[in-house]
Amino acid sequence: MLNEKDFFWKNFRLGTELQNSGTFIYNAIFKLDNIEYFRYEEECFEFLYNISVGIERLEKILIILIEHDSSVSQEEFERSLISHNHLILLNRIKTQKKLNFGKVHMKFLELLTEFYKSTRYERFNISSVFKAPQEKEKLVEFLQNELKLKLTEYPIRVLENTNQVKRFIGKIIKKITITFYDLIRIETSRLGTFTHEIRYNSKAYKIFTEQEFEFKNEKLMQREVLLHLLKNIPDNKFKKFIDNISPLPFENFYTNYYIKSILNIHKDTSVKDEMIYLYEENKISKDRINEISAIGSDINFDLFSDNNEDF
């Protein structure tokens, strides 16, 4: 039976940390999904940083639930958690729990350990000028070794982030993440806490509850809804509102490119740049910006009366 302080720590504080862990893991796979080629160091860094932190925090939550009791020195126990070595943390878990990780999972955790302990600091050292960018180099090397992939030949030699690569990394992360989460659920049942409970519709909910490590369904939803709206805008007050707004004269790109830019705002800013140019050329008013901002908001236009002009 946990005392009040231990219960609060392991139930609420670690519950928040579990949300944080899921958020970092979500951000990692979201970043991975938006990488087209492993070309830029900062993109590889962002993926590796987020997944490293997410899995490390997950390991530490589990270690606390497994190891901590009233007989240990609190100060010594907390000092023992000051580590960024995923493999050392993993070995602490393995002393009490059976884990079914394959060689590829261990290699991935080794990659994260090396990145988080040393690689992420490389550019703060002048010796880095004599080395290739290490986070990109190590990640590409791992993927090439495991999947036998070749670099593109033209115009530069880089590794393409194909759907095969995304699924491969997603499966590795899922195996590691859900293994730890399932053990957390077992421990919370033993301790009588609710640490494992995840807030609905949060980033962590996709990771731990839905257990989805790709964005296939979100992409399908975007396109299905877009198709529905293009073909079936009903003749209602929302349509009346839309009809009263003149569109900007976008014309730099072909139609499907504009749709692509809507669905992938992180990949290309060309259409945003065109919009800003048109705003400046046409001296767009604040009233128009407010009207445009209402599209896709929580406003229910059907609640307004026919003679109400203030949407």
Side-chain angles (χ1 to χ4, degrees):
M1 186 71 177
L2 298 177
N3 61 43
E4 185 176 357
K5 185 167 66 174
D6 282 358
F7 180 85
F8 194 95
W9 182 37
K10 294 175 182 178
N11 189 59
F12 298 108
R13 293 294 182 253
L14 294 190
T16 299
E17 277 306 314
L18 189 62
Q19 289 283 159
N20 290 338
S21 170
T23 298
F24 276 109
I25 295 169
Y26 177 104
N27 290 343
I29 61 173
F30 183 78
K31 180 60 195 178
L32 178 70
D33 191 71
N34 281 277
I35 294 175
E36 294 182 303
Y37 294 90
F38 294 102
R39 178 180 180 183
Y40 301 111
E41 293 86 8
E42 72 275 10
E43 292 186 335
C44 298
F45 183 98
E46 186 177 355
F47 164 68
L48 289 170
Y49 183 86
N50 277 282
I51 195 60
S52 297
V53 175
I55 291 179
E56 176 195 322
R57 298 183 100 79
L58 198 56
E59 289 179 303
K60 289 179 178 178
I61 293 167
L62 183 53
I63 286 171
I64 293 171
L65 295 177
I66 291 173
E67 291 186 4
H68 182 269
D69 61 43
S70 57
S71 65
V72 303
S73 165
Q74 189 67 29
E75 289 185 3
E76 289 181 13
F77 182 77
E78 290 176 5
R79 278 198 299 270
S80 76
L81 294 173
I82 304 174
S83 170
H84 299 309
N85 191 314
H86 295 77
L87 296 177
I88 288 177
L89 296 171
L90 178 68
N91 286 334
R92 286 176 67 171
I93 296 169
K94 286 170 67 176
T95 59
Q96 299 194 47
K97 299 293 179 181
K98 184 178 180 180
L99 301 174
N100 187 28
F101 291 155
K103 290 182 180 179
V104 68
H105 306 103
M106 299 303 294
K107 288 179 183 178
F108 187 72
L109 289 171
E110 186 177 352
L111 170 69
L112 299 188
T113 295
E114 185 176 357
F115 165 79
Y116 208 70
K117 284 182 63 182
S118 58
T119 304
R120 65 186 176 126
Y121 298 114
E122 281 283 341
R123 280 178 294 274
F124 290 110
N125 301 322
I126 196 169
S127 60
S128 66
V129 301
F130 303 109
K131 299 179 181 179
Q134 291 299 290
E135 58 271 276
K136 183 178 75 173
E137 194 86 357
K138 298 293 185 182
L139 179 57
V140 169
E141 181 183 0
F142 169 76
L143 291 169
Q144 283 192 285
N145 289 341
E146 296 302 318
L147 295 176
K148 312 303 179 189
L149 300 173
K150 294 182 179 180
L151 303 180
T152 59
E153 293 292 337
Y154 180 84
I156 57 174
R157 290 174 58 78
V158 291
L159 183 65
E160 184 178 2
N161 187 24
T162 62
N163 287 331
Q164 178 194 12
V165 171
K166 293 175 185 178
R167 285 194 298 268
F168 173 72
I169 297 179
K171 286 181 179 179
I172 293 173
I173 295 173
K174 180 176 183 178
K175 174 69 174 179
I176 294 170
T177 299
I178 299 306
T179 295
F180 289 148
Y181 180 66
D182 285 345
L183 290 174
I184 287 172
R185 288 178 61 93
I186 291 171
E187 289 304 300
T188 58
S189 177
R190 177 180 67 84
L191 294 170
T193 65
F194 306 95
T195 319
H196 64 280
E197 293 188 352
I198 301 298
R199 179 168 57 82
Y200 177 69
N201 260 356
S202 63
K203 291 181 177 181
Y205 187 86
K206 177 179 175 68
I207 299 301
F208 297 123
T209 305
E210 295 180 330
Q211 299 187 7
E212 292 182 356
F213 290 77
E214 59 181 354
F215 291 88
K216 178 179 66 176
N217 289 333
E218 287 86 349
K219 290 179 177 179
L220 287 172
M221 177 274 293
Q222 288 176 317
R223 286 154 178 82
E224 289 286 5
V225 171
L226 180 60
L227 177 64
H228 170 79
L229 294 176
L230 288 172
K231 285 181 168 288
N232 299 292
I233 294 182
D235 190 13
N236 58 12
K237 291 173 185 176
F238 178 73
K239 186 175 186 303
K240 178 182 175 183
F241 174 76
I242 294 293
D243 288 342
N244 286 330
I245 305 174
S246 299
L248 290 176
F250 287 106
E251 59 183 8
N252 284 353
F253 307 98
Y254 54 91
T255 301
N256 213 28
Y257 188 92
Y258 284 110
I259 295 175
K260 176 186 175 185
S261 72
I262 294 172
L263 302 178
N264 300 284
I265 61 172
H266 300 285
K267 287 186 178 180
D268 189 355
T269 62
S270 302
V271 175
K272 184 186 75 173
D273 293 340
E274 184 183 6
M275 180 200 75
I276 291 171
Y277 169 77
L278 292 170
Y279 269 34
E280 292 172 349
E281 284 292 300
N282 293 280
K283 296 181 173 58
I284 297 300
S285 67
K286 288 184 179 180
D287 287 341
R288 180 194 171 86
I289 292 176
N290 289 336
E291 288 178 328
I292 295 297
S293 298
I295 300 172
S297 70
D298 290 331
I299 296 174
N300 183 351
F301 289 87
D302 292 333
L303 297 179
F304 291 92
S305 62
D306 291 332
N307 58 2
N308 191 329
E309 298 179 356
D310 297 324
F311 288 106

